[in-house]
mmCIF file of all heavy atoms in Angstrom:
data_model
loop_
_atom_site.group_PDB
_atom_site.id
_atom_site.type_symbol
_atom_site.label_atom_id
_atom_site.label_comp_id
_atom_site.label_asym_id
_atom_site.label_seq_id
_atom_site.Cartn_x
_atom_site.Cartn_y
_atom_site.Cartn_z
ATOM 1 N N CYS A 778 84.677 91.049 110.655
ATOM 2 C CA CYS A 778 85.341 91.953 111.602
ATOM 3 C C CYS A 778 84.997 93.416 111.311
ATOM 4 O O CYS A 778 84.538 93.768 110.227
ATOM 5 C CB CYS A 778 86.857 91.804 111.511
ATOM 6 S SG CYS A 778 87.483 90.162 111.912
ATOM 7 N N VAL A 779 85.266 94.256 112.302
ATOM 8 C CA VAL A 779 85.293 95.700 112.083
ATOM 9 C C VAL A 779 86.707 96.028 111.617
ATOM 10 O O VAL A 779 87.690 95.694 112.291
ATOM 11 C CB VAL A 779 84.964 96.473 113.369
ATOM 12 C CG1 VAL A 779 85.113 97.977 113.135
ATOM 13 C CG2 VAL A 779 83.559 96.137 113.848
ATOM 14 N N LEU A 780 86.818 96.662 110.460
ATOM 15 C CA LEU A 780 88.132 96.945 109.879
ATOM 16 C C LEU A 780 88.711 98.201 110.522
ATOM 17 O O LEU A 780 88.012 99.216 110.673
ATOM 18 C CB LEU A 780 87.988 97.145 108.367
ATOM 19 C CG LEU A 780 89.118 96.647 107.470
ATOM 20 C CD1 LEU A 780 89.423 95.183 107.722
ATOM 21 C CD2 LEU A 780 88.752 96.882 106.002
ATOM 22 N N VAL A 781 89.982 98.154 110.920
ATOM 23 C CA VAL A 781 90.646 99.282 111.575
ATOM 24 C C VAL A 781 91.960 99.570 110.844
ATOM 25 O O VAL A 781 92.680 98.642 110.472
ATOM 26 C CB VAL A 781 90.946 98.981 113.057
ATOM 27 C CG1 VAL A 781 91.622 100.169 113.725
ATOM 28 C CG2 VAL A 781 89.676 98.595 113.801
ATOM 29 N N ALA A 782 92.261 100.847 110.630
ATOM 30 C CA ALA A 782 93.541 101.233 110.030
ATOM 31 C C ALA A 782 93.890 102.637 110.497
ATOM 32 O O ALA A 782 93.018 103.410 110.898
ATOM 33 C CB ALA A 782 93.478 101.173 108.506
ATOM 34 N N ALA A 785 92.663 105.294 107.568
ATOM 35 C CA ALA A 785 91.911 104.239 106.883
ATOM 36 C C ALA A 785 91.584 104.535 105.426
ATOM 37 O O ALA A 785 91.583 103.604 104.612
ATOM 38 C CB ALA A 785 90.623 103.944 107.666
ATOM 39 N N PRO A 786 91.276 105.774 105.019
ATOM 40 C CA PRO A 786 90.964 105.997 103.603
ATOM 41 C C PRO A 786 92.063 105.519 102.665
ATOM 42 O O PRO A 786 91.780 105.066 101.557
ATOM 43 C CB PRO A 786 90.773 107.523 103.523
ATOM 44 C CG PRO A 786 90.302 107.902 104.893
ATOM 45 C CD PRO A 786 91.059 106.997 105.826
ATOM 46 N N VAL A 789 92.102 101.265 103.066
ATOM 47 C CA VAL A 789 90.840 100.699 102.581
ATOM 48 C C VAL A 789 90.617 101.069 101.120
ATOM 49 O O VAL A 789 90.101 100.274 100.333
ATOM 50 C CB VAL A 789 89.666 101.174 103.461
ATOM 51 C CG1 VAL A 789 88.335 100.680 102.906
ATOM 52 C CG2 VAL A 789 89.848 100.685 104.897
ATOM 53 N N GLN A 793 89.800 98.334 98.269
ATOM 54 C CA GLN A 793 88.574 98.432 97.480
ATOM 55 C C GLN A 793 88.879 98.530 95.982
ATOM 56 O O GLN A 793 88.170 97.959 95.155
ATOM 57 C CB GLN A 793 87.756 99.645 97.936
ATOM 58 C CG GLN A 793 87.098 99.464 99.287
ATOM 59 C CD GLN A 793 86.357 100.709 99.730
ATOM 60 O OE1 GLN A 793 86.777 101.832 99.453
ATOM 61 N NE2 GLN A 793 85.252 100.522 100.421
ATOM 62 N N TRP A 803 82.784 94.017 97.402
ATOM 63 C CA TRP A 803 83.455 94.461 98.623
ATOM 64 C C TRP A 803 82.568 94.167 99.833
ATOM 65 O O TRP A 803 81.398 94.575 99.877
ATOM 66 C CB TRP A 803 83.742 95.956 98.548
ATOM 67 C CG TRP A 803 84.394 96.504 99.775
ATOM 68 C CD1 TRP A 803 83.834 97.306 100.722
ATOM 69 C CD2 TRP A 803 85.738 96.273 100.203
ATOM 70 N NE1 TRP A 803 84.736 97.594 101.723
ATOM 71 C CE2 TRP A 803 85.915 96.971 101.422
ATOM 72 C CE3 TRP A 803 86.813 95.539 99.684
ATOM 73 C CZ2 TRP A 803 87.118 96.959 102.110
ATOM 74 C CZ3 TRP A 803 88.007 95.534 100.373
ATOM 75 C CH2 TRP A 803 88.160 96.239 101.575
ATOM 76 N N PRO A 804 83.090 93.448 100.829
ATOM 77 C CA PRO A 804 82.283 93.157 102.027
ATOM 78 C C PRO A 804 81.858 94.448 102.715
ATOM 79 O O PRO A 804 82.570 95.447 102.677
ATOM 80 C CB PRO A 804 83.261 92.348 102.910
ATOM 81 C CG PRO A 804 84.285 91.818 101.959
ATOM 82 C CD PRO A 804 84.434 92.847 100.894
ATOM 83 N N LYS A 805 80.726 94.418 103.373
ATOM 84 C CA LYS A 805 80.221 95.622 104.024
ATOM 85 C C LYS A 805 80.892 95.816 105.377
ATOM 86 O O LYS A 805 80.258 95.718 106.443
ATOM 87 C CB LYS A 805 78.700 95.549 104.157
ATOM 88 C CG LYS A 805 77.985 95.571 102.815
ATOM 89 C CD LYS A 805 76.478 95.560 102.983
ATOM 90 C CE LYS A 805 75.766 95.624 101.630
ATOM 91 N NZ LYS A 805 74.299 95.594 101.774
ATOM 92 N N PHE A 806 82.202 96.072 105.319
ATOM 93 C CA PHE A 806 82.957 96.293 106.552
ATOM 94 C C PHE A 806 82.539 97.618 107.188
ATOM 95 O O PHE A 806 82.340 98.630 106.504
ATOM 96 C CB PHE A 806 84.460 96.378 106.257
ATOM 97 C CG PHE A 806 85.111 95.077 105.911
ATOM 98 C CD1 PHE A 806 85.695 94.901 104.665
ATOM 99 C CD2 PHE A 806 85.167 94.037 106.826
ATOM 100 C CE1 PHE A 806 86.325 93.704 104.341
ATOM 101 C CE2 PHE A 806 85.785 92.842 106.511
ATOM 102 C CZ PHE A 806 86.362 92.677 105.261
ATOM 103 N N GLU A 807 82.417 97.622 108.512
ATOM 104 C CA GLU A 807 82.415 98.883 109.245
ATOM 105 C C GLU A 807 83.878 99.232 109.486
ATOM 106 O O GLU A 807 84.691 98.357 109.792
ATOM 107 C CB GLU A 807 81.652 98.738 110.554
ATOM 108 C CG GLU A 807 80.162 98.529 110.337
ATOM 109 C CD GLU A 807 79.398 98.429 111.642
ATOM 110 O OE1 GLU A 807 79.367 97.318 112.210
ATOM 111 O OE2 GLU A 807 78.854 99.452 112.098
ATOM 112 N N VAL A 808 84.218 100.509 109.343
ATOM 113 C CA VAL A 808 85.618 100.921 109.360
ATOM 114 C C VAL A 808 85.852 101.948 110.463
ATOM 115 O O VAL A 808 85.079 102.891 110.631
ATOM 116 C CB VAL A 808 86.027 101.522 107.993
ATOM 117 C CG1 VAL A 808 87.485 101.981 108.039
ATOM 118 C CG2 VAL A 808 85.825 100.495 106.880
ATOM 119 N N LEU A 809 86.926 101.759 111.214
ATOM 120 C CA LEU A 809 87.390 102.730 112.201
ATOM 121 C C LEU A 809 88.750 103.252 111.782
ATOM 122 O O LEU A 809 89.603 102.483 111.321
ATOM 123 C CB LEU A 809 87.498 102.095 113.590
ATOM 124 C CG LEU A 809 86.203 101.774 114.331
ATOM 125 C CD1 LEU A 809 86.529 101.124 115.677
ATOM 126 C CD2 LEU A 809 85.376 103.042 114.558
ATOM 127 N N ASP A 810 88.952 104.537 111.947
ATOM 128 C CA ASP A 810 90.225 105.178 111.603
ATOM 129 C C ASP A 810 90.866 105.679 112.899
ATOM 130 O O ASP A 810 90.369 106.604 113.534
ATOM 131 C CB ASP A 810 89.959 106.341 110.642
ATOM 132 C CG ASP A 810 91.239 106.978 110.116
ATOM 133 O OD1 ASP A 810 92.310 106.703 110.686
ATOM 134 O OD2 ASP A 810 91.155 107.749 109.147
ATOM 135 N N THR A 811 91.976 105.055 113.301
ATOM 136 C CA THR A 811 92.613 105.457 114.557
ATOM 137 C C THR A 811 93.198 106.861 114.474
ATOM 138 O O THR A 811 93.319 107.543 115.493
ATOM 139 C CB THR A 811 93.719 104.464 114.952
ATOM 140 O OG1 THR A 811 94.588 104.247 113.834
ATOM 141 C CG2 THR A 811 93.129 103.144 115.398
ATOM 142 N N LEU A 872 80.282 100.406 119.954
ATOM 143 C CA LEU A 872 80.742 100.817 118.627
ATOM 144 C C LEU A 872 79.959 102.040 118.150
ATOM 145 O O LEU A 872 80.527 102.959 117.554
ATOM 146 C CB LEU A 872 80.580 99.669 117.628
ATOM 147 C CG LEU A 872 81.059 99.975 116.202
ATOM 148 C CD1 LEU A 872 82.541 100.269 116.179
ATOM 149 C CD2 LEU A 872 80.730 98.802 115.277
ATOM 150 N N GLN A 876 81.571 105.617 117.092
ATOM 151 C CA GLN A 876 81.416 106.209 115.767
ATOM 152 C C GLN A 876 80.846 107.617 115.824
ATOM 153 O O GLN A 876 81.087 108.416 114.922
ATOM 154 C CB GLN A 876 80.509 105.317 114.903
ATOM 155 C CG GLN A 876 81.152 103.983 114.534
ATOM 156 C CD GLN A 876 80.169 103.016 113.906
ATOM 157 O OE1 GLN A 876 78.970 103.039 114.224
ATOM 158 N NE2 GLN A 876 80.660 102.164 113.032
#
Side-chain angles (χ1 to χ4, degrees):
C778 299
V779 175
L780 215 54
V781 181
V789 176
Q793 288 177 325
W803 178 252
K805 294 183 178 179
F806 287 118
E807 292 182 277
V808 179
L809 288 179
D810 186 346
T811 50
L872 181 62
Q876 291 169 329

